[in-house]
Amino acid sequence: MSWDQFIYFAMGALLLWGTGAALAYRLRHKAVPSLLTVAGLLIFSLFIAGLWVSLERPPLRTMGETRLWYSLFLPVAGLLTYLRWNYRWILSFTTLLSAVFIMVNLLNPDIHNKVLMPALQSPWFAPHVIIYMFSYAILGAVTLIALYYLTWGKRIKEPARIMEMTDNLVYAGTACITLGMLMGAIWAKEAWGHYWSWDPKETWAAVTWIAYLIYIHYRLKRSSSNKTAMVILIIAFVMLQICWYGVNYLPSAKQSIHTYSS
Amino acid sequence: MKISSRQIWEQPWGYKEGILIAAGIGLSGLILQLTLGNIRPTLFAAPLNLIIGALFMTGLLAMHLLARKRPLGRWLTGVKATLPALALLLLLSIFLGVIPQTPNGSETALPGDLFTPLGWYRMTTSWPFVLTCFYLLLILGLTTLRRTTRKQEWRDIGFYLNHLGLFIALLGGVLGSADMERLTMRVQEGQVEWRGADANGGLRELPLAIQLDSFLLEEYPPKLVVIEHESGRMLPASRPESYMFEGIGKSTLLAGHVVEIMEHLPHAAIFSDDSITRVVPMLMEGATVALRVKVTPEGGAAPKEGWVSNGSYLYPHSLLRIDETRSLAMPLQEVKRYTSHVTLYTEEGHTRKSLIEVNKPVMMEEWMIYQYSYDDTMGKYSDTSVFELVRDPWLKIVYTGIFMLLAGALFLFFAGPKKSRT
Ligand code: HEM
């Protein structure tokens, strides 16, 4: 399996996800949309598995490869939310966001080869990145809900139910970023001798984590405003984007003393 | 937000007081920073960190016992104190994440702008950052202690794992950071070394010695690329292509040219004089890898045949010219693995054979020994291995906290938020 075949798998999966999402509005029963979504997930996973085999390493090294997992986990998060809380619109939201990341991969493919530098050859590599991508997908879905809430405002009939769903997803997502971060710390100790070095990527992981902790603690107060809570979620997701790929464009990324001493 | 007739600083306190106190902590930090400069990490080294830790824990306990039932004690263990404190840490961490940091003890002069006196180039040892951490630890500790005084339910397990876990990991990390030692050690094959060098190059004798029995470096198969002869740039410039060797007889399309692999010499010697390049098999140290390839250029020009190699410390690299502007080249191979077979000795006379590689450190006499580097001028023929030795007496404490937090995260995932809050 190579990237040249990605377009077929991606389009097949998107077609199934899109049909499932459209039918979710129409059908009373959740079985058909769910099955279509699962079928799409299987096709997409098949591509990832094939890529894994042909690269002889987990496809988690490059940005494009992590986007691949993100595109997979978004419909997973959407499906779980749909099954649990019955929101018909969530599947179309997550499919759309997944499509965006698939498009980025199609239009701007990375260079993929078998090389995996020694530091990445660790049993922690796959769980660390996969759990992060999973949490990013859940928190991406949460961000869509927050945007939905803030744009629809007063027209939302059951704000309490939306808040309950949001809390549940944020707890799950924050639990996963905590797991990902701590696995990263244990791995860093094994690979580089220290569990936390305040490297820009680590710092932004901490920033993201703190932002979601702020949401969790803010929501503990019964008097807190729903709108403020949703705004916190959007800010937190911006932090997450910086952590994921934005750090590469920050001055701190060029962590070279010489650049700054002149 | 509820409208209240309460004056500021009148109990019960709310977010306003929380913001003012957090701002006060930040400002006090700033004043200390401007007058004293960064906290020198060595200041925190044993035994001072033990004393600070003991004082902090005593103060925490005393505060808990004295103020638990007072309005201040209640407020300090609530969300309205927590959120402004977390927001302040968030703000400082954002600065830390945006502004490039200069390691402590490095001799380079810091830039002459405003960030230097503010301590922002060394955020983690600046007063505002450290004070904010301790303020959060205070809230965290008091909240955890107060939780023990009420009727316990099963959900409290999650609370303790997360909050006590973070308390332990954070306090252990902050206090222990100055006790951590990192040394590097260069050892040649067949030799024994018992001294390590610190960051400033000072040598230290260790209670253990490393003998390097052998050093092995494994590389990925060689790759071929088409380069622009003048600039050395890989082609196509917008998205450089490369081909990794898979076997003789295979062919590939590389930047528009058909490249066919004719012959593969894993151990070759290259002799070139003037215009003739001779490549012969040679099984000896310093031998390089060479591929004989046939290139059929874009546009149907006559095919070219010849040897391509990335050379070694002994032999030059060799390119195959395709036309006026372009050549076929072999970049240096990527490193797949490097491993040191060692014998470790302790002062007491214990001996142990071990294998050390990246991601697989070995523990000996409180020291973790890491595969760090090798002599990269020699590449796979390096007979020198560089190790890093790390001693962190507080690691067990920090790991206790980390594993509690891991369990707490699982709890958070499966238990979810408290029901019926609304
Ligand atoms: C700087 C660190 C932290 C501080 C200062 C802090 C503070 C607090 C406070 C004051 C409460 C309210 C307690 C009460 O009303 O009885 C609370 C509750 C809570 N915190 Fe934290 N916390 C921190 C870190 C964390 C972390 C790391 C997590 C999880 C990953 C977390 C998750 C929670 C949860 C889930 C609750 C609600 C517990 C329940 O009611 O069962 N907190 N925290």
Side-chain angles (χ1 to χ4, degrees):
Chain A
M1 200 83 63
S2 84
W3 275 94
D4 300 335
Q5 284 120 312
F6 177 55
I7 185 157
Y8 308 112
F9 287 86
M11 289 306 145
L14 272 181
L15 199 69
L16 287 163
W17 291 337
T19 318
L23 287 178
Y25 286 103
R26 295 272 196 91
L27 302 178
R28 198 164 264 282
H29 290 291
K30 287 185 268 189
V32 175
S34 308
L35 282 177
L36 286 171
T37 309
V38 169
L41 290 174
L42 285 178
I43 289 187
F44 207 87
S45 311
L46 203 64
F47 176 75
I48 296 185
L51 195 65
W52 193 320
V53 171
S54 74
L55 286 176
E56 297 164 27
R57 61 170 177 82
L60 293 159
R61 197 195 79 203
T62 64
M63 268 297 162
E65 288 162 6
T66 59
R67 277 195 293 264
L68 200 60
W69 292 86
Y70 193 65
S71 312
L72 174 74
F73 286 137
L74 271 169
V76 174
L79 182 63
L80 294 178
T81 315
Y82 170 65
L83 289 172
R84 171 70 180 77
W85 287 283
N86 242 336
Y87 278 103
R88 293 160 183 279
W89 44 268
I90 189 75
L91 281 179
S92 25
F93 276 50
T94 49
T95 302
L96 194 72
L97 196 55
S98 181
V100 170
F101 281 84
I102 286 174
M103 283 304 156
V104 175
N105 260 357
L106 283 172
L107 297 177
N108 177 28
D110 270 341
I111 296 162
H112 300 266
N113 56 38
K114 293 183 180 175
V115 173
L116 193 63
M117 35 297 240
L120 292 184
Q121 295 167 20
S122 158
W124 291 107
F125 178 41
H128 168 71
V129 184
I130 289 175
I131 204 156
Y132 255 125
M133 284 305 125
F134 184 66
S135 64
Y136 287 6
I138 294 180
L139 296 169
V142 162
T143 310
L144 294 177
I145 296 170
L147 288 171
Y148 175 85
Y149 190 99
L150 291 175
T151 45
W152 283 76
K154 291 200 183 67
R155 277 167 292 176
I156 287 173
K157 274 178 246 135
E158 297 173 283
R161 241 183 101 220
I162 291 228
M163 292 316 289
E164 193 201 336
M165 168 166 74
T166 313
D167 284 349
N168 275 293
L169 288 172
V170 172
Y171 272 60
T174 307
C176 289
I177 54 174
T178 313
L179 291 173
M181 184 170 74
L182 297 176
M183 283 179 189
I186 296 170
W187 178 14
K189 178 73 198 169
E190 264 177 22
W192 292 296
H194 199 23
Y195 49 84
W196 198 270
S197 317
W198 294 109
D199 164 275
K201 192 94 174 176
E202 294 170 7
T203 303
W204 282 98
V207 166
T208 309
W209 191 61
I210 296 169
Y212 284 104
L213 285 185
I214 288 180
Y215 172 89
I216 287 180
H217 289 91
Y218 180 70
R219 286 284 299 149
L220 293 175
K221 274 270 162 258
R222 225 167 267 169
S223 56
S224 59
S225 116
N226 293 349
K227 219 167 136 185
T228 309
M230 292 305 199
V231 171
I232 295 175
L233 283 183
I234 289 171
I235 297 173
F237 196 65
V238 173
M239 302 296 151
L240 193 156
Q241 301 304 305
I242 299 177
C243 176
W244 188 3
Y245 49 84
V247 271
N248 301 338
Y249 306 102
L250 292 177
S252 56
K254 308 178 204 67
Q255 198 65 285
S256 154
I257 303 160
H258 309 289
T259 327
Y260 303 99
S261 52
S262 55
Chain B
M1 196 139 284
K2 271 181 229 143
I3 298 154
S4 75
S5 51
R6 187 178 65 85
Q7 295 281 301
I8 192 154
W9 300 119
E10 194 179 306
Q11 293 289 355
W13 289 359
Y15 282 125
K16 252 189 226 146
E17 287 82 359
I19 293 167
L20 284 171
I21 291 179
I25 303 266
L27 274 179
S28 322
L30 209 62
I31 292 167
L32 284 170
Q33 180 70 33
L34 290 174
T35 48
L36 299 174
N38 276 64
I39 300 173
R40 268 190 294 123
T42 43
L43 217 65
F44 259 133
L48 205 68
N49 50 8
L50 283 171
I51 298 169
I52 294 172
L55 282 177
F56 184 72
M57 297 295 281
T58 316
L60 203 67
L61 211 61
M63 245 179 122
H64 168 67
L65 294 173
L66 295 175
R68 172 160 63 93
K69 299 215 168 104
R70 290 167 195 270
L72 177 70
R74 279 180 204 283
W75 177 83
L76 258 180
T77 55
V79 167
K80 291 180 176 173
T82 302
L83 286 182
L86 276 177
L88 179 60
L89 184 67
L90 184 79
L91 187 72
L92 294 176
S93 302
I94 289 175
F95 291 151
L96 170 61
V98 173
I99 301 167
Q101 300 292 299
T102 314
N104 263 295
S106 89
E107 300 301 314
T108 37
L110 292 174
D113 56 27
L114 188 64
F115 291 177
T116 299
L118 292 178
W120 287 357
Y121 289 116
R122 285 172 184 164
M123 182 61 95
T124 54
T125 54
S126 73
W127 283 96
F129 191 83
V130 174
L131 284 188
T132 306
C133 284
F134 272 102
Y135 179 46
L136 267 168
L137 277 168
L138 177 73
I139 299 175
L140 199 52
L142 288 177
T143 309
T144 312
L145 281 171
R146 202 166 106 109
R147 190 73 162 214
T148 59
T149 61
R150 70 174 213 198
K151 196 170 158 286
Q152 305 291 295
E153 45 177 311
W154 72 276
R155 272 195 75 86
D156 289 329
I157 300 170
F159 180 89
Y160 289 127
L161 287 173
N162 279 322
H163 294 85
L164 190 57
L166 183 60
F167 182 83
I168 294 173
L170 198 58
L171 192 62
V174 171
L175 293 179
S177 61
D179 283 351
M180 198 173 109
E181 293 176 272
R182 303 182 82 139
L183 305 170
T184 52
M185 188 191 263
R186 278 182 90 88
V187 195
Q188 276 205 330
E189 251 170 16
Q191 308 224 301
V192 183
E193 183 60 83
W194 66 94
R195 288 160 310 172
D198 61 27
N200 304 321
L203 282 185
R204 261 201 49 192
E205 291 198 7
L206 289 160
L208 63 107
I210 302 178
Q211 172 183 310
L212 183 62
D213 299 326
S214 64
F215 176 78
L216 286 176
L217 188 141
E218 208 182 308
E219 290 172 325
Y220 280 99
K223 283 199 299 198
L224 294 174
V225 295
V226 176
I227 60 168
E228 211 171 59
H229 213 86
E230 288 276 289
S231 59
R233 224 167 31 152
M234 297 209 289
L235 296 174
S238 59
R239 190 173 169 241
E241 288 171 5
S242 70
Y243 170 73
M244 191 181 269
F245 171 68
E246 284 172 348
I248 299 165
K250 304 247 173 176
S251 63
T252 183
L253 201 66
L254 206 54
H257 312 284
V258 179
V259 177
E260 196 184 341
I261 313 287
M262 315 293 289
E263 209 176 329
H264 171 222
L265 284 181
H267 307 281
I270 299 176
F271 305 99
S272 38
D273 53 86
D274 297 336
S275 57
I276 306 159
T277 299
R278 279 198 314 130
V279 176
V280 291
M282 175 127 6
L283 202 65
M284 59 169 271
E285 231 187 73
T288 176
V289 60
L291 290 172
R292 193 162 61 84
V293 292
K294 188 162 104 181
V295 185
T296 315
E298 242 174 343
K304 294 259 166 58
E305 222 178 292
W307 288 97
V308 185
S309 167
N310 55 16
S312 69
Y313 70 93
L314 206 55
Y315 299 116
H317 67 137
S318 108
L319 305 173
L320 175 62
R321 256 209 133 102
I322 301 171
D323 55 29
E324 242 74 303
T325 55
R326 286 168 290 189
S327 291
L328 195 69
M330 186 190 289
L332 285 178
Q333 277 142 278
E334 275 118 339
V335 175
K336 192 174 191 175
R337 250 183 106 186
Y338 49 107
T339 315
S340 299
H341 292 263
V342 296
T343 311
L344 304 171
Y345 303 98
T346 68
E347 271 178 337
E348 287 88 56
H350 296 290
T351 309
R352 192 166 106 211
K353 285 214 173 275
S354 237
L355 194 150
I356 304 177
E357 65 179 295
V358 180
N359 266 311
K360 291 189 185 114
V362 166
M363 184 86 178
M364 186 85 170
E365 297 283 290
E366 286 201 307
W367 291 87
M368 284 272 248
I369 308 168
Y370 295 84
Q371 177 70 63
Y372 186 65
S373 174
Y374 53 90
D375 180 359
D376 52 14
T377 56
M378 301 283 281
K380 65 181 165 195
Y381 297 111
S382 169
D383 62 351
T384 304
S385 185
V386 186
F387 300 100
E388 183 172 38
L389 289 89
V390 180
R391 198 180 76 99
D392 186 357
W394 293 67
L395 187 67
K396 285 207 180 71
I397 297 178
V398 175
Y399 266 33
T400 307
I402 287 183
F403 281 103
M404 287 175 74
L405 271 172
L406 275 173
L410 289 177
F411 192 97
L412 208 63
F413 187 88
F414 290 107
K418 217 169 181 165
K419 297 289 177 298
S420 70
R421 226 189 290 130
T422 30

